[in-house]
Amino acid sequence: MIKCAEPSASELIALFLYQADLAGIMAKEIAKSSEEGVENIDTNIGKENRKVKALKALALRVASLLNWSLVTLEKGLPLAAIENILVELLSVALPGVEPIAKRHATLDLTTLTPVAVFAVVLFHRWSLRTAIQDTFPVKPSKVPHVQVPGLLDPSIQSSIKKESILHNVKDGLCDSVEVLQQYMKKLPDIVAPTCQCFKIITEDKDDQTHDWSLAVSVPTLEMKTQISYELGMVYFHRKDYDSALSLFMEARNQLEVMSSSLWCELDDQRLGGYCCACSGMLGRPLPKPISEEARLIDSIESIRMDNFEGLTSILMQDNQKCVLSLPYRESLEEDLISTNTSKGLLKEVKTCNMIRKALDHILTPSAYAQMLCENPDHLDFLIDMATGVLNTTTTKQKESLKYFIGYLSSVLPRSVKFTARLFNSDLKVLFSADEMEMMKNRWREQINVPPNPLKNVYPKSDEESVQLAELERELLVTCDPTIMKSLIQRLLPKVGKYQLIFLTEKWHLPKELHHGIETLPVPQQYYSIYIHLLVAKARIATEQQKFRQAQELLQAADSSIKDLSYKLSKMLRWEILKVDLLYYNHTVTPTSGQNADLIKRCKMCINSAHVEPDLQSVGEVVLLVTQFLLNQHQWDFLANLNQNQTGYVQLAKQVASLCKELPQSKHARKYARELWESVTLIFTNNNSHKRAASGTPINVNRDSHMGIVPQQLFTKFCVQCKEPMVLSILLSLLAKLYNVLKDDLTVEITSDYLTLWPTTLANSSSINLAAVTETVMVTMETALKQQPMNPSWLRTQADIHYANSQYKQAIKYYLQLGIVLSNYFTKPITKNIYDENIMVLCQFFDEPDYATAFKAIQEKTISHDAMDLYYDYIWDITLLEYLVCILDAFVMTFLGKLELNSSNPPEITAEAAKQRKARFLRAMAKEYIQGAD
């Protein structure tokens, strides 16, 4: 396991700058000593000055390795250190010019060197960002910055220094805006210094001439997009929403054009929020960005006058993005025919359109195959175009493309050598070894086939065409096995095997089933088609929740082949089991009772998969089987399975072992540790290293393959569990993992069994926090659908929303928790219900929680909420008096009410509190529970 380097890049920059400051101070002390006649002063001063330059150059080198990312610098460095590094960059890139905004506003950027323009733009971008970020309220740090004697911390900055920097930045804000606007108008070329640009001086070498020829070019589009966004923020905070919206929309449109970005660091969600806010303030709908479809159409329309030169490349782009509509693409063929364009271009366009249709699961017409027979030289272009979309297609599209290529291989004659060309292309990756062997055998058998078999495949008259269409329609709608067999026998001689199997895209089968049917030792060809359609129609019926019909079709298929193929029969029985489990889950509450027959079959399925590894069932069946056994409390069976299980079975074994030992067994921690390690591996990222165009190494995160199941399938496993104990364990584990990764005591998620799990992680930096967050949220939603009044789960759901800054939803579930535990607030509110909440709720405890309330008031020195509306619900005199002192004398009107007089009898005070409690809780419930629903 690769550990993160210590110290980090940001810490290195801070240390280098700090040491440079110390060396500078030392040089001044030496200079002061020279006045007192100390010997060798000049030598020592020179040595210290060289040290300062070397340290600053090292800091610049580290910053260049971060690609001068202001986002990274702002996260890891104090304000003073960022200013120092940017000022140092200005001093070496633009010597002789002070880093003052007013001085830069008079510069003509077009006369500067590209690296000087980069330094100026970067400095003023930082100035804008700093000024804007200072307008947001920041929660004060809980840890005081105390300097430990002998341990100087360069990351600590004094508040006086920070205030001075902010004052200078805000004073020069207008000039910074002017500098960046000048750049946006003229767009001069800019280059970013790399690590190799900065030369390090030594004790014997004073020359520090930096080599800017090694700098890398920064794309104008990326820089323009970034500056548009940052200028938009300035105008937004100036309440010039029209100018801000224009800049934000420009940034959004440009962002969509970029396929990748190294220098543009935009927060897409924040940009969208700014756009929506501007449009709301202006009272007009949000302008729609220029779509990719519109751009491609504009490109096509612009080449009409040039006889569609370059049309093929545009259609190839669309094959990778799939945004143009098929009717529009087909209209291009008609335009080419009407304008008498070259037949070569027309064939290329037809081929591009055919590949797009294949990706959209549309059947290949025989006319296209006929064209390929007549023009075999065009096959190389077809293979090139199909190869060009391999890297941009989904798994489903690759499957459709495979069927398209396989269909052509089966119908094109041997003379055109399509199969031979296919074996020598990259398209062969679409096919398994068995499928390739089948194609080779079919290709060898074609030696005795007539030269052009397509001429006899399709009907010769309109009447025959109508009859054929009617038969195909009947085959599509019928689910009667006898009728299906008859229709297949009538259609097969007229349309061919593959045209029947792929009459609709919904008849595609998983690879294992398709291969098992294709390799059936059947005496007649129609038999394998018949089995294929029975299974395909059963799967469609299952999706439509017609479980009885699916069972009948699968049983018919199994009875037809059980004597021909043991392996396929086993797979069909697993399909039948899957349908039975889905039917049971759909019609019966999964935990409401035992089903002995289903339990027995599920156990046999797991044992069979373990004993016969070559008959491994598909993942969906195993998922349903393991979850059914967990929900049916078959924990002993699962826990006693052999250790060498894989996937869902191993995961279910670990969960069942823990369920079996809880709540009191001393062995529970052992099984909890095993489950914890398995789940952390599931969420561990597989970090690989690539290099950007500039040569800078970048990390690429991919889903880990070390886990027993992939992340998405683990989430599916959690969502489909129904048993309360199983759900509680999974929620507890995920909540603990989230807390450890988040490492923030203020937003911890509470749950049952939290003490079972470890409190630390050795590789927390490599675990995907976003995936953990998503999984815990969707699992929580599933749990509350099962038991919406479970207090522990309500609390966990509220904490999840609070941790993700979804405060309205958090309050909703905190209130529901209170309703459940206090019988609609008729019982006293204890502190274990609301241990951290807003000021009004702090009065609900038997002993008011003044510490939390005072802390909340102090953090709201600038009120951005509707707290004024809640003053009338406060009955605690201490809180009201504190509010008068801290916030507003307006609270005096509430403090002066007669029923709150401190001299009142206790029963009057109690009645005042009771009434305010009831009014407050009704208002909260109406706002956050009824309103949310």
Side-chain angles (χ1 to χ4, degrees):
M1 180 178 65
I2 300 176
K3 295 185 178 180
C4 295
E6 293 290 346
S8 67
S10 298
E11 291 170 338
L12 274 177
I13 294 173
L15 286 170
F16 286 143
L17 293 176
Y18 177 70
Q19 293 296 330
D21 288 342
L22 290 182
I25 294 172
M26 182 64 69
K28 292 179 181 178
E29 291 294 330
I30 295 172
K32 184 178 179 181
S33 300
S34 65
E35 299 175 358
E36 302 172 2
V38 180
E39 297 180 358
N40 299 324
I41 290 299
D42 292 338
T43 302
N44 291 333
I45 292 176
K47 185 182 295 184
E48 291 301 322
N49 285 335
R50 283 194 293 271
K51 184 177 180 181
V52 171
K53 291 180 180 179
L55 287 167
K56 288 184 177 181
L58 286 172
L60 290 170
R61 279 192 166 190
V62 177
S64 69
L65 293 175
L66 297 175
N67 292 322
W68 304 101
S69 168
L70 291 179
V71 174
T72 305
L73 294 176
E74 289 164 352
K75 286 181 180 178
L77 289 175
L79 207 57
I82 302 175
E83 184 189 43
N84 286 346
I85 195 69
L86 296 181
V87 168
E88 183 61 25
L89 178 62
L90 279 170
S91 67
V92 298
L94 193 63
V97 179
E98 295 183 62
I100 301 173
K102 291 182 179 179
R103 177 70 180 87
H104 291 164
T106 61
L107 293 174
D108 183 358
L109 297 182
T110 58
T111 63
L112 302 181
T113 63
V115 73
V117 177
F118 176 81
V120 171
V121 168
L122 187 66
F123 179 83
H124 291 287
R125 280 185 52 220
W126 168 76
S127 298
L128 259 63
R129 294 169 66 93
T130 303
I132 296 300
Q133 289 170 4
D134 187 57
T135 62
F136 294 108
V138 179
K139 191 172 184 178
S141 175
K142 294 184 178 180
V143 182
H145 285 160
V146 179
Q147 188 70 60
V148 180
L151 295 176
L152 299 177
D153 186 356
S155 66
I156 295 177
Q157 60 180 340
S158 68
S159 58
I160 297 176
K161 176 67 173 175
K162 181 179 178 180
E163 290 299 326
S164 174
I165 294 172
L166 290 173
H167 177 74
N168 293 334
V169 164
K170 291 177 181 178
D171 278 353
L173 183 60
C174 293
D175 296 298
S176 293
V177 170
E178 186 177 342
V179 171
L180 295 178
Q181 284 177 334
Q182 183 191 162
Y183 171 81
M184 294 287 282
K185 290 177 182 177
K186 300 179 179 180
L187 295 176
D189 293 335
I190 57 176
V191 295
T194 60
C195 181
Q196 294 77 15
C197 291
F198 300 103
K199 303 303 179 184
I200 306 298
I201 62 174
T202 62
E203 293 185 1
D204 304 322
K205 182 180 178 182
D206 285 333
D207 183 27
Q208 197 183 23
T209 304
H210 301 297
D211 187 0
W212 303 128
S213 64
L214 300 175
V216 295
S217 177
V218 178
T220 302
L221 179 62
E222 293 187 30
M223 188 57 66
K224 184 180 177 182
T225 303
Q226 183 70 41
I227 294 175
S228 296
Y229 172 69
E230 288 161 351
L231 284 174
M233 289 194 299
V234 174
Y235 284 114
F236 181 85
H237 285 269
R238 289 179 177 177
K239 299 184 179 180
D240 184 355
Y241 302 115
D242 204 353
S243 300
L245 180 59
S246 175
L247 287 163
F248 287 138
M249 290 304 301
E250 183 178 359
R252 191 165 76 168
N253 290 334
Q254 292 166 348
L255 192 63
E256 292 185 355
V257 176
M258 291 185 286
S259 56
S260 61
S261 173
L262 182 65
W263 303 97
C264 183
E265 303 174 292
L266 286 191
D267 185 336
D268 291 344
Q269 292 184 346
R270 186 177 288 270
L271 175 59
Y274 272 125
C275 291
C276 292
C278 289
S279 125
M281 296 303 296
L282 293 170
R284 62 186 189 218
L286 186 66
K288 293 183 179 180
I290 301 173
S291 65
E292 185 64 29
E293 180 181 12
R295 290 193 185 93
L296 290 176
I297 291 176
D298 288 344
S299 300
I300 292 173
E301 296 302 322
S302 65
I303 62 175
R304 280 185 182 272
M305 301 304 294
D306 297 327
N307 293 323
F308 290 100
E309 184 178 350
L311 178 59
T312 304
S313 62
I314 297 175
L315 293 180
M316 181 58 186
Q317 292 177 35
D318 183 56
N319 285 346
Q320 296 173 345
K321 300 175 181 178
C322 296
V323 294
L324 290 178
S325 66
L326 282 174
Y328 177 79
R329 291 185 58 140
E330 290 171 348
S331 71
L332 294 174
E333 294 182 29
E334 299 173 1
D335 293 342
L336 290 173
I337 295 172
S338 63
T339 55
N340 296 320
T341 312
S342 68
K343 292 184 179 180
L345 178 59
L346 178 60
K347 293 173 187 175
E348 291 178 355
V349 170
K350 283 185 176 181
T351 296
C352 289
N353 286 349
M354 200 54 58
I355 291 174
R356 171 62 189 282
K357 289 178 181 179
L359 296 176
D360 288 352
H361 326 296
I362 296 175
L363 294 176
T364 307
S366 60
Y368 180 72
Q370 185 67 45
M371 186 197 81
L372 293 177
C373 286
E374 297 170 356
N375 301 274
D377 294 340
H378 193 67
L379 289 171
D380 290 331
F381 178 80
L382 165 66
I383 291 174
D384 289 342
M385 292 297 102
T387 305
V389 300
L390 284 180
N391 295 329
T392 58
T393 50
T394 63
T395 303
K396 187 175 182 180
Q397 287 176 324
K398 282 186 173 69
E399 193 74 11
S400 299
L401 185 62
K402 182 183 80 170
Y403 286 130
F404 167 68
I405 299 298
Y407 166 74
L408 292 178
S409 175
S410 67
V411 299
L412 291 176
R414 179 187 177 92
S415 59
V416 301
K417 300 181 180 179
F418 176 72
T419 305
R421 301 183 197 203
L422 178 63
F423 291 158
N424 294 324
S425 72
D426 292 338
L427 291 177
K428 61 185 178 183
V429 300
L430 295 171
F431 302 91
S432 65
D434 292 339
E435 289 169 336
M436 294 286 287
E437 188 61 32
M438 287 173 59
M439 292 171 67
K440 287 180 181 178
N441 293 335
R442 189 164 57 232
W443 183 54
R444 295 189 189 103
E445 293 170 1
Q446 284 182 340
I447 191 167
N448 298 319
V449 176
N452 193 354
L454 290 171
K455 290 184 178 179
N456 299 321
V457 170
Y458 280 86
K460 300 176 182 179
S461 66
D462 292 341
E463 182 180 353
E464 189 178 351
S465 177
V466 171
Q467 292 175 353
L468 182 62
E470 183 62 25
L471 291 174
E472 290 179 344
R473 188 193 67 80
E474 290 181 26
L475 184 61
L476 283 169
V477 299
T478 187
C479 288
D480 187 311
T482 305
I483 297 175
M484 287 170 58
K485 184 181 294 186
S486 173
L487 289 170
I488 292 169
Q489 290 173 335
R490 295 170 63 185
L491 282 167
L492 183 59
K494 300 178 181 180
V495 299
K497 175 182 177 180
Y498 286 96
Q499 191 70 15
L500 269 180
I501 290 178
F502 306 129
L503 193 59
T504 170
E505 64 178 66
K506 294 183 179 179
W507 287 355
H508 292 177
L509 293 180
K511 185 183 299 183
E512 298 85 357
L513 282 171
H514 178 71
H515 178 68
I517 295 172
E518 285 291 309
T519 55
L520 269 177
V522 293
Q524 294 176 309
Q525 190 179 31
Y526 85 88
Y527 209 74
S528 62
I529 303 173
Y530 170 64
I531 301 301
H532 183 109
L533 297 192
L534 284 174
V535 178
K537 284 178 175 284
R539 293 175 69 86
I540 294 172
T542 303
E543 292 177 2
Q544 298 172 346
Q545 297 185 353
K546 298 177 181 178
F547 300 111
R548 293 295 187 192
Q549 186 181 91
Q551 290 168 338
E552 293 172 0
L553 290 166
L554 287 170
Q555 287 167 359
D558 184 42
S559 62
S560 300
I561 58 92
K562 62 182 179 182
D563 296 330
L564 298 175
S565 172
Y566 168 78
K567 179 177 179 180
L568 181 59
S569 178
K570 194 85 171 180
M571 294 170 68
L572 291 181
R573 286 199 291 273
W574 278 331
E575 287 290 313
I576 295 171
L577 176 60
K578 180 183 78 171
V579 174
D580 291 344
L581 290 173
L582 290 171
Y583 178 60
Y584 182 82
N585 292 340
H586 182 71
T587 56
V588 184
T589 304
T591 58
S592 62
Q594 298 278 322
N595 187 306
D597 179 60
L598 269 180
I599 291 174
K600 180 180 177 181
R601 289 164 61 195
C602 288
K603 290 180 179 179
M604 290 176 61
C605 177
I606 290 181
N607 289 330
S608 176
H610 178 65
V611 174
E612 302 173 284
D614 59 325
L615 290 178
Q616 282 288 341
S617 58
V618 293
E620 188 178 5
V621 179
V622 179
L623 171 62
L624 288 169
V625 166
T626 54
Q627 287 177 331
F628 176 78
L629 293 175
L630 281 173
N631 292 336
Q632 293 290 318
H633 287 231
Q634 299 299 308
W635 299 337
D636 287 333
F637 169 78
L638 291 170
N640 292 326
L641 289 172
N642 294 330
Q643 287 294 333
N644 56 342
Q645 302 289 338
T646 57
Y648 288 125
V649 181
Q650 179 67 16
L651 183 61
K653 169 183 169 63
Q654 294 175 349
V655 174
S657 300
L658 186 53
C659 289
K660 179 183 173 185
E661 299 297 332
L662 286 175
Q664 298 178 353
S665 172
K666 62 181 180 180
H667 300 295
R669 284 189 178 275
K670 171 190 172 184
Y671 297 114
R673 166 67 71 174
E674 292 178 358
L675 182 59
W676 172 269
E677 292 175 352
S678 296
V679 173
T680 53
L681 277 177
I682 288 172
F683 289 104
T684 300
N685 287 329
N686 180 15
N687 292 325
S688 59
H689 300 280
K690 297 179 69 177
R691 288 191 177 272
S694 62
T696 306
I698 57 176
N699 285 334
V700 179
N701 291 334
R702 297 186 175 93
D703 286 350
S704 171
H705 295 289
M706 296 183 290
I708 54 179
V709 293
Q711 289 177 12
Q712 292 182 342
L713 297 183
F714 175 73
T715 302
K716 188 176 181 180
F717 175 86
C718 295
V719 168
Q720 294 188 6
C721 287
K722 310 297 180 186
E723 208 284 326
M725 173 71 83
V726 174
L727 278 172
S728 292
I729 287 174
L730 293 173
L731 281 171
S732 174
L733 188 155
L734 291 168
K736 186 66 175 184
L737 184 57
Y738 177 91
N739 292 339
V740 173
L741 293 174
K742 197 79 172 179
D743 194 21
D744 187 349
L745 293 175
T746 63
V747 292
E748 281 204 342
I749 299 175
T750 57
S751 182
D752 297 330
Y753 311 120
L754 281 182
T755 56
L756 282 174
W757 316 108
T759 57
T760 58
L761 277 172
N763 60 336
S764 60
S765 61
S766 62
I767 293 180
N768 191 336
L769 175 59
V772 173
T773 304
E774 179 184 0
T775 303
V776 73
M777 290 179 72
V778 297
T779 306
M780 189 69 256
E781 291 175 4
T782 300
L784 285 178
K785 288 179 182 177
Q786 300 299 315
Q787 294 186 5
M789 304 301 283
N790 185 310
S792 175
W793 292 354
L794 286 170
R795 175 59 189 269
T796 303
Q797 178 71 300
D799 288 347
I800 290 171
H801 285 303
Y802 183 79
N804 288 280
S805 303
Q806 299 165 343
Y807 301 119
K808 184 173 182 178
Q809 289 295 313
I811 291 179
K812 170 186 173 181
Y813 285 100
Y814 282 131
L815 287 169
Q816 287 185 352
L817 172 66
I819 288 172
V820 171
L821 293 180
S822 64
N823 193 17
Y824 283 88
F825 300 110
T826 59
K827 296 179 181 179
I829 304 293
T830 57
K831 191 164 184 175
N832 64 339
I833 298 178
Y834 298 129
D835 55 4
E836 292 177 4
N837 218 305
I838 58 177
M839 180 180 56
V840 177
L841 295 179
C842 294
Q843 308 168 102
F844 279 61
F845 307 143
D846 296 332
E847 293 294 332
D849 187 0
Y850 292 121
T852 301
F854 294 162
K855 178 183 174 183
I857 296 171
Q858 288 173 337
E859 289 178 357
K860 289 293 183 180
T861 54
I862 300 176
S863 181
H864 295 290
D865 56 15
M867 189 59 213
D868 294 353
L869 299 176
Y870 292 95
Y871 292 156
D872 192 33
Y873 299 126
I874 301 176
W875 63 85
D876 189 272
I877 302 299
T878 304
L879 282 180
L880 287 170
E881 290 175 344
Y882 191 79
L883 278 168
V884 171
C885 296
I886 297 297
L887 292 179
D888 197 340
F890 169 67
V891 185
M892 280 295 298
T893 58
F894 302 97
L895 185 60
K897 291 191 175 182
L898 294 177
E899 65 268 25
L900 297 181
N901 194 311
S902 58
S903 301
N904 287 338
E907 57 270 17
I908 294 178
T909 305
E911 182 64 24
K914 180 180 178 181
Q915 290 180 0
R916 282 167 169 75
K917 283 182 182 181
R919 285 193 293 112
F920 173 72
L921 292 172
R922 282 196 296 269
M924 293 282 283
K926 181 178 179 181
E927 174 69 21
Y928 292 102
I929 298 180
Q930 296 178 5
D933 295 338

